[in-house]
Amino acid sequence: MVTLPSIPATTLIYNDWYPAMRSGLLRGKKMQKAMLMGIPMVLGRREDGKLFAMRDACPHRGIPLSDGWFDGKNVTCKYHGWAFEPCSGQCTAIPSLTSKDTLDPNKIYAGAFPCEERDGYAWVYVPEPGSGRLRAGAEIVPVPELPKFGERFRSAWLTADLPCNVDHGIIGLMDPAHGPFVHQSWWWRRAASIHEKEKHFEPIPQGFRMAAHAPSGNSAPYKLLGVYGEPITTTIDFVLPNRRYETIRCGPKWFSSLTTVTPTTANACRIDVYAAWNVFYSVPLVLPIAKFFGKRFVEQDRITMVQQAEGLRWDPSLMLIDDADRPAKWYFALKQARLDGQPERHPMSGPVTLRWRS
């Protein structure tokens, strides 16, 4: 048993991609505000379809750029009419300048972040604070994407705000022992169904993997896949800074999900779940049914995090135990290694078998 590692909630992992919002919200000349990593941002879509993400502050006097105008090409500040190309942040006009002024607007930049569209999300790359403007063509890590195993599939997404720092959100995401208590439902699990489990884990770059295994027999959704008459396996990966991938295979049938826990402020985060599947592809109403139960599942997690936040207000002593909390220990060790500038340092020297009851 160990006490919970003390990494300040404000210690965030930069130089990586985070989902800011659903990209479908970015239409026409309408801009949308978002809070990401404690940074107020404004997002939009240029007339050529390219997404942009800017710091929501004019570099002149600090008024939010979201209070201004966007014509499909430039974002214009409401205060003095300064205009900016939104993807680069480069200033394109300062109306108050005269022919006698020597200031070159093109040398002025508003804050802008790389922004890409994947799986229906606007992903924003957030560099280290104080690292300066990211130059066009700079080499950065690839944008995350949900693995898919065919072109014919259905998909759905869910989101919920959590009143806790990102570390509590993430270790809650990877916690294997809360299911029979938080998610007590006839269609999922009951406390009476608890039994001992053994899972095999292996290290992967910037994370760890729960190796392919037969899913828990006390979860009704997995039992449904038995109608296909094929062996069912599931694989779960956790990858820094905040991503959990799950893949379920049943012969040619598959289900894939990507869950992220994204820091919005120091003491709040947001969980996003995006899933794709070709199981029960022709079953009527499968999409609304899946979203209905998915929302209930995520809402159970959200309510629990709200309740936990009430207890955390009083700064209680916390602890991690083996083996059910070992993934949380790995997460903290991986995060610390990356913060130390040693991402190759890994808490796992090889495959590990963990046992717990759930």
Side-chain angles (χ1 to χ4, degrees):
M1 183 176 70
V2 299
T3 56
L4 198 66
S6 180
I7 298 178
T10 52
T11 305
L12 303 174
I13 294 179
Y14 294 93
N15 301 321
D16 218 317
W17 295 90
Y18 290 89
M21 63 175 59
R22 292 293 295 174
S23 58
L25 296 172
L26 305 173
R27 298 189 296 267
K29 299 175 182 178
K30 184 175 179 58
M31 298 186 289
Q32 298 284 350
K33 296 191 292 184
M35 182 66 70
L36 187 62
M37 309 278 280
I39 304 169
M41 295 188 181
V42 59
L43 288 83
R45 188 186 297 272
R46 291 191 320 198
E47 62 183 12
D48 63 0
K50 173 70 175 172
L51 299 188
F52 65 83
M54 303 180 72
R55 182 180 289 273
D56 196 13
C58 179
H60 179 211
R61 298 284 185 86
I63 189 172
L65 290 171
S66 58
D67 290 329
W69 306 278
F70 175 52
D71 64 1
K73 294 182 179 179
N74 292 279
V75 174
T76 301
C77 177
K78 178 182 181 180
Y79 200 178
H80 297 93
W82 288 29
F84 303 91
E85 195 291 307
C87 289
S88 66
Q90 185 176 44
C91 184
T92 57
I94 299 179
S96 62
L97 294 182
T98 70
S99 60
K100 304 297 182 181
D101 284 297
T102 59
L103 179 65
D104 183 359
N106 293 330
K107 293 183 179 180
I108 297 174
Y109 286 82
F113 304 86
C115 186
E116 297 290 342
E117 190 169 10
R118 291 287 189 284
D119 293 325
Y121 283 91
W123 289 82
V124 178
Y125 182 86
V126 185
E128 198 78 32
S131 59
R133 183 167 56 88
L134 198 64
R135 302 284 180 174
E139 197 169 310
I140 56 180
V141 296
V143 184
E145 187 168 2
L146 176 69
K148 307 173 191 71
F149 306 93
E151 296 183 359
R152 193 166 179 258
F153 59 85
R154 297 178 183 270
S155 64
W157 62 274
L158 297 167
T159 188
D161 293 312
L162 305 178
C164 62
N165 74 59
V166 68
D167 286 338
H168 281 295
I170 287 176
I171 65 175
L173 174 70
M174 64 179 62
D175 173 20
H178 73 275
F181 305 98
V182 173
H183 302 297
Q184 290 189 37
S185 303
W186 64 265
W187 48 272
W188 188 249
R189 294 177 185 170
R190 295 173 292 106
S193 71
I194 292 177
H195 62 278
E196 187 167 315
K197 297 177 181 178
E198 179 181 286
K199 306 295 183 184
H200 306 289
F201 291 79
E202 55 197 33
I204 59 176
Q206 294 289 289
F208 50 86
R209 169 173 296 153
M210 184 188 292
H213 60 280
S216 299
N218 58 341
S219 297
Y222 295 133
K223 292 179 181 178
L224 289 174
L225 297 180
V227 301
Y228 290 113
E230 298 271 2
I232 305 167
T233 62
T234 182
T235 303
I236 299 174
D237 289 0
F238 174 79
V239 182
L240 285 182
N242 66 337
R243 302 190 278 273
R244 179 189 186 274
Y245 297 89
E246 181 169 6
T247 302
I248 302 171
R249 305 299 298 267
C250 181
K253 301 298 182 180
W254 55 271
F255 173 93
S256 183
S257 67
L258 169 58
T259 304
T260 56
V261 180
T262 299
T264 51
T265 64
N267 292 303
C269 56
R270 188 190 68 250
I271 184 170
D272 289 284
V273 184
Y274 177 71
W277 63 89
N278 74 346
V279 295
F280 306 115
Y281 189 87
S282 300
V283 177
L285 302 178
V286 68
L287 183 57
I289 291 172
K291 291 202 72 169
F292 172 79
F293 286 110
K295 284 181 179 179
R296 289 191 61 184
F297 190 88
V298 172
E299 179 64 7
Q300 290 167 342
D301 279 319
R302 190 195 68 81
I303 291 173
T304 299
M305 299 306 288
V306 170
Q307 294 166 336
Q308 182 190 32
E310 176 64 24
L312 292 174
R313 288 175 53 201
W314 312 107
D315 196 26
S317 296
L318 306 175
M319 64 182 70
L320 296 175
I321 63 173
D322 277 340
D323 276 356
D325 288 337
R326 189 85 68 87
K329 296 180 184 179
W330 291 336
Y331 161 69
F332 282 113
L334 287 163
K335 180 177 180 179
Q336 190 62 66
R338 182 150 166 182
L339 293 172
D340 292 341
Q342 300 175 2
E344 72 285 350
R345 194 175 77 209
H346 205 291
M348 301 172 66
S349 58
V352 175
T353 298
L354 300 182
R355 299 173 182 84
W356 63 82
R357 286 171 54 81
S358 71

